[in-house]
Amino acid sequence: WKVETEETDSVDVQFQLTPDAGIDFTLFMIDQGDAPEVKEAQKVAYLYSGSLDDDYAYAYLAGDSRFELTEVNVDATEETPESLREYEAVVVSPTIGADNAFVANLKQIIAYVPVLNLNPYLYEPLGLGKAAVSTTNLLTVLDAENAAFENIDVAQGLEMLLEGANVTGVELGEYFAADKIIATAGDITAMHMHNANRNAYLLLPITIDDMPLANQDVISQLIPQSLQAVTDTKQEVKPVSKPVISVKQEDGASVVSISANYSNVIYYTT
């Protein structure tokens, strides 16, 4: 059905199926049916250490046409926190050890570029909390509407790991204390999101040891969708302007107003 006239951009179409119709609908195209929008692959820096041979997350993301991965070996790289901000997103691999010298740079990119962190063991050296092993291999999803879980059934709990391997999550420190908890594993935070609407940071803890034991049907969807969820929040960070302070007399009082461009919060003292 195609709209031929210039007076309207819509048409009502009704489909009626009977049990013996022998019809299978495979596609409904709404808008842009003749020329669907094609997005360029998003440029993502994949930070790792040593080898990617055992990193299943890299394999799943490298095979996803939505992303163009740049391998960044943190053991020998010229990338800086400033240069990493030019990417659409940054993924932190679980191959990076807590004692790696590059770890100190990671805290400087949070809020400046979307980050998907797969490595809970980096929380302690970054002063963001510490890794903690739960007593379960199930995730309890608290935010089922999060884009990371699209088309994944989380109603009965998400089985991340096979029997005998429990989820390694984190105990959050002060920096992330007010974050939205996306999923838990027992009493442990498994997934949380920081700065959900702008250059979001998301933890999805899948250690190198756990990857071979993980439910591959789940993580093959969950990892790319988690990356897409944070990548969609990419925004340019603009410096806050110098505050403008104005005073006017109103009902016998002096009313002081303070404003600043690109600022969500203004702090002041008397």
Side-chain angles (χ1 to χ4, degrees):
W1 290 265
K2 183 178 180 181
V3 179
E4 301 288 355
T5 67
E6 297 181 359
E7 287 78 19
T8 180
D9 63 355
S10 64
V11 63
D12 291 328
V13 178
Q14 291 186 338
F15 300 95
Q16 182 174 357
L17 299 182
T18 61
D20 58 349
I23 298 174
D24 178 24
F25 288 108
T26 58
L27 173 68
F28 290 94
M29 180 68 74
I30 309 298
D31 263 0
Q32 301 184 13
D34 295 327
E37 180 184 1
V38 177
K39 292 184 177 180
E40 292 186 6
Q42 295 161 310
K43 299 184 185 304
V44 175
Y46 196 92
L47 309 185
Y48 74 100
S49 174
S51 170
L52 288 168
D53 292 344
D54 298 322
D55 191 341
Y56 289 30
Y58 174 80
Y60 288 132
L61 293 175
D64 194 311
S65 60
R66 291 174 293 180
F67 311 114
E68 179 184 323
L69 298 190
T70 297
E71 301 173 10
V72 179
N73 188 337
V74 298
D75 300 329
T77 181
E78 296 182 359
E79 294 279 9
T80 65
E82 289 72 24
S83 65
L84 288 173
R85 296 175 189 177
E86 300 302 316
Y87 289 93
E88 296 298 313
V90 172
V91 179
V92 180
S93 166
T95 59
I96 302 175
D99 58 350
N100 192 290
F102 194 84
V103 170
N105 295 308
L106 298 181
K107 195 171 183 179
Q108 299 180 48
I109 66 175
I110 296 175
Y112 288 92
V113 63
V115 176
L116 174 63
N117 182 15
L118 306 173
N119 195 334
Y121 293 115
L122 301 186
Y123 271 55
E124 193 160 7
L126 288 171
L128 301 174
K130 63 179 180 179
V133 180
S134 72
T135 57
T136 178
N137 64 349
L138 292 178
L139 292 188
T140 299
V141 176
L142 305 180
D143 180 15
E145 300 302 315
N146 191 283
F149 301 113
E150 186 176 357
N151 300 320
I152 299 177
D153 184 8
V154 298
Q156 303 302 320
L158 190 60
E159 187 176 353
M160 284 288 292
L161 303 176
L162 301 179
E163 186 176 354
N166 295 327
V167 176
T168 299
V170 292
E171 296 176 0
L172 297 178
E174 183 178 353
Y175 187 85
F176 288 142
D179 281 6
K180 184 172 186 178
I181 307 301
I182 306 298
T184 59
D187 296 330
I188 302 299
T189 296
M191 297 175 65
H192 72 96
M193 182 170 278
H194 184 73
N195 260 17
N197 298 317
R198 183 182 63 190
N199 295 330
Y201 168 99
L202 177 64
L203 172 69
L204 175 59
I206 308 179
T207 69
I208 283 293
D209 291 337
D210 290 342
M211 280 187 179
L213 305 172
N215 184 327
Q216 302 303 310
D217 289 338
V218 170
I219 68 170
S220 63
Q221 297 182 73
L222 185 57
I223 293 172
Q225 288 175 183
S226 295
L227 178 55
Q228 187 65 64
V230 297
T231 304
D232 285 343
T233 69
K234 171 74 172 181
Q235 288 190 30
E236 180 185 357
V237 176
K238 299 179 180 179
V240 177
S241 69
K242 182 179 179 180
V244 176
I245 301 175
S246 59
V247 182
K248 66 178 180 179
Q249 301 301 316
E250 196 173 90
D251 297 329
S254 297
V255 178
V256 179
S257 299
I258 308 174
S259 63
N261 292 332
Y262 311 122
S263 176
N264 292 327
V265 179
I266 297 175
Y267 298 90
Y268 67 93
T269 178
T270 55

